[in-house]
């Protein structure tokens, strides 16, 4: 299985970040919105994907949030691998989770974010219809 990085495709901020990854970070992973991913095949749930970005390794092992980002960076090699390794260091990792939570909770206020980014998927479906 190809490693896979799963993000929220309904969030403009997340989509902007995913486009940056695809343009600038030479990962071997598929970068895909969870709304178009085979979540069952990846061993993920919608709830996990709504909570944080997800990494699914070639062997099926998973990681979420900053741990997923660290693995994506390590997969990209070179300088990116150093950044990914640094993100996995104890004190950095400990600080990364609250930082990730803050960004996730405020993504609708960040560049590229929209009001829909702040809503759980169930509310988005009610307001905008199920896009899947």
């Amino acid at each position: 299985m190809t490693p896979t990085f799963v993000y929220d495709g309904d969030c403009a901020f997340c989509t902007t970040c995913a486009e940056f990854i695809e343009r600038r970070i030479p990962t071997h992973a598929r970068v895909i919105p969870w709304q178009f991913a085979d979540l069952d095949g990846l061993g993920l749930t919608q709830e996990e994907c709504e909570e944080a970005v997800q990494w699914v390794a070639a062997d099926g092992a998973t990681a979420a949030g900053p741990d997923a980002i660290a693995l994506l960076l390590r997969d990209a090699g070179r300088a990116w691998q150093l950044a990914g390794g640094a993100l996995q260091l104890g004190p950095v990792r400990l600080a990364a989770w609250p930082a990730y939570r803050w960004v996730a909770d405020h993504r609708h206020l960040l560049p590229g974010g929209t009001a829909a980014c702040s809503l759980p998927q169930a509310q988005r479906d009610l307001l905008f219809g199920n896009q899947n």
Side-chain angles (χ1 to χ4, degrees):
M1 174 167 66
T2 301
T4 305
F5 185 79
V6 182
Y7 68 96
D8 184 352
D10 283 342
C11 172
F13 176 75
C14 299
T15 299
T16 299
C17 292
E19 289 170 352
F20 176 85
I21 291 167
E22 290 176 323
R23 280 192 322 270
R24 304 278 187 205
I25 301 176
T27 180
H28 300 100
R30 264 184 340 149
V31 178
I32 186 169
W34 70 258
Q35 292 87 348
F36 298 105
D38 175 8
L39 297 183
D40 288 337
L42 292 170
L44 299 172
T45 66
Q46 179 176 329
E47 293 76 25
E48 289 171 321
C49 294
E50 286 181 349
E51 183 68 22
V53 295
Q54 302 290 320
W55 173 265
V56 181
D59 66 0
T62 62
D67 296 332
I69 295 166
L71 292 170
L72 172 95
L73 293 172
R74 291 192 70 158
D75 179 71
R78 297 186 304 200
W80 296 109
Q81 191 170 25
L82 293 172
L87 192 53
Q88 291 179 310
L89 294 174
V92 177
R93 184 175 183 267
L94 192 62
W97 271 102
Y100 181 87
R101 266 296 115 233
W102 187 90
V103 169
D105 291 344
H106 296 88
R107 59 191 175 160
H108 60 289
L109 301 172
L110 298 172
T114 64
C117 298
S118 67
L119 300 175
Q121 187 63 40
Q123 285 182 296
R124 288 186 223 165
D125 289 346
L126 286 174
L127 290 172
F128 307 112
N130 187 337
Q131 304 297 313
N132 298 328

